[in-house]
Amino acid sequence: MFARAAARGGPPPGTDPMLLLGLVAGAAGMRALLRSEPVPPGFAAAAVGAVLPARGDA
C-alpha cells in the first residue's frame, strides 16, 4: 500500500509508514472506543492529510 502511494507521489521521502499507520489507528481508536463516535468514511485520509505536509507538486 505504501509503495503504491509513493508511486503516485504520495508520502514524502523519509516518511515512516509504521508511524503513520500508528497515528491513524490511534486516532480512529480514540474516536471509536473512548469517545463512542463513529469513524466516518474518509477519516483515514483526513488524518493523514493533517499529519503530512501538503505537496505542492502533486
Side-chain angles (χ1 to χ4, degrees):
M1 177 171 68
F2 290 103
R4 288 191 313 258
R8 292 190 312 265
T15 300
D16 180 348
M18 294 310 293
L19 176 60
L20 189 57
L21 181 61
L23 292 169
V24 172
M30 172 72 82
R31 184 178 186 105
L33 300 174
L34 297 178
R35 293 173 41 191
S36 297
E37 295 178 6
V39 179
F43 181 83
V48 169
V51 173
L52 291 180
R55 304 251 347 230
D57 59 353

